[in-house]
Amino acid sequence: MSDLEAPLSRGSGPIHRLDPRARLLALLVFSLPVALVHSQASALAALGFGLLALALTRPAPGLVLRRLLAVNAFTAFLWVFLPLDGQGEALFRLGPLAYSHEGTRLALLLTLKTNAAFLAVTALVGTIAPQDLGRALQALGLPEKFCHLLLMTHRYLFVIQREFRRLLTAAEARGFKPRTNGHTYTTYAWLLGMLLVKSWDRAERVHQAMLCRGFNGRFHSLADFSYGARDAVFLTLAVLASAAVAGLPFLRGVS
């Protein structure tokens, strides 16, 4: 299993012992106020709760750090462009460009909210094995076809990725070197076309194999979920944390 194939699901932290359905509900309850708040204090509180949830998963620091860097590579663009909206008081100037205080504040708010949401998703969903995730979503009432599509996509996305690498390695063994010219673009187009044909052929073979094994449109999981007192306590704490994130601006206003 590669680093991309849910490595966090193999842990043994307190989060892993929770019912996957409770974790999904907790994420839903927590993500709504995180997405809607406009206060930096609330965003900081959400980030703190996300860090706490992640600590309970006991992840490998290097894995989380790599993913955080990937996420914040996108938020870095917010810091470049949002302060240049030209509205509000100028924080500082770089020649003709003025970085506004309001734009910088908005970039900080979005960065905090993005990282808080990422940490929550990593802790609550990244720790669920893919086969259990589909079963939990189905138990929560999502359409079966959606859950099947999620499971099959996760299963064969990495297969297609390895197949593309194999095709690319074969092309490089024959002297192909990527450049910015028509030959490179044509080669990549042929590689993608071959990948599409191979993926279609594999899908047909997998479907036939599933039918031979009695597949009738419904996946049967061996996962046995058990919702207990520990899950209820965790879900209650998630609701309280969400209420704290949503209500913090009002509490600060009252004080």
Side-chain angles (χ1 to χ4, degrees):
M1 185 174 289
S2 70
D3 178 49
L4 295 174
E5 298 181 45
L8 292 175
S9 65
R10 302 193 298 272
S12 58
I15 293 289
H16 294 84
R17 295 192 287 270
L18 296 171
D19 190 310
R21 295 169 296 180
R23 281 180 264 174
L24 290 174
L25 289 175
L27 178 64
L28 177 62
V29 170
F30 182 74
S31 60
L32 290 177
V34 172
L36 297 176
V37 295
H38 298 282
S39 167
Q40 289 187 7
S42 295
L44 278 171
L47 183 63
F49 288 129
L51 287 171
L52 178 60
L54 185 67
L56 294 176
T57 67
R58 301 172 185 171
L63 173 62
V64 177
L65 182 59
R66 288 196 300 272
R67 295 186 176 188
L68 274 174
L69 290 176
V71 169
N72 286 282
F74 292 95
T75 62
F77 289 98
L78 300 176
W79 289 89
V80 175
F81 296 107
L82 282 180
L84 295 176
D85 60 357
Q87 300 178 2
E89 177 185 358
L91 189 62
F92 63 88
R93 294 181 178 274
L94 290 176
L97 301 178
Y99 270 60
S100 66
H101 182 273
E102 287 75 8
T104 304
R105 180 183 177 280
L106 180 58
L108 176 60
L109 176 64
L110 292 176
T111 300
L112 293 174
K113 292 170 62 173
T114 299
N115 283 273
F118 167 78
L119 293 175
V121 171
T122 301
L124 299 176
V125 179
T127 53
I128 303 176
Q131 62 273 15
D132 294 340
L133 177 60
R135 177 72 180 86
L137 290 173
Q138 186 173 320
L140 291 176
L142 269 72
E144 289 188 2
K145 289 185 178 180
F146 173 81
C147 299
H148 297 168
L149 181 62
L150 175 66
L151 290 174
M152 298 299 290
T153 300
H154 183 274
R155 171 63 182 85
Y156 287 99
L157 182 65
F158 306 103
V159 175
I160 294 174
Q161 180 189 42
R162 288 193 292 269
E163 183 66 26
F164 179 76
R165 288 178 177 175
R166 191 183 68 81
L167 291 172
L168 185 60
T169 300
E172 291 174 346
R174 290 166 173 79
F176 171 68
K177 293 182 178 181
R179 296 185 176 88
T180 54
N181 54 30
H183 174 69
T184 298
Y185 304 144
T186 302
T187 302
Y188 274 120
W190 278 107
L191 289 176
L192 292 175
M194 293 173 62
L195 182 65
L196 178 62
V197 172
K198 288 180 176 292
S199 300
W200 181 274
D201 181 64
R202 180 180 290 271
E204 289 290 336
R205 287 188 282 113
V206 169
H207 183 242
Q208 293 299 325
M210 292 171 64
L211 293 178
C212 289
R213 288 162 176 80
F215 178 70
N216 59 357
R218 182 180 179 85
F219 283 114
H220 299 277
S221 174
L222 297 178
D224 185 18
F225 298 149
S226 177
Y227 187 89
R230 178 173 51 192
D231 304 295
V233 170
F234 175 76
L235 192 55
T236 301
L237 292 176
V239 172
L240 293 176
S242 303
V245 170
L248 190 58
F250 300 100
L251 294 177
R252 288 169 60 90
V254 171
S255 62

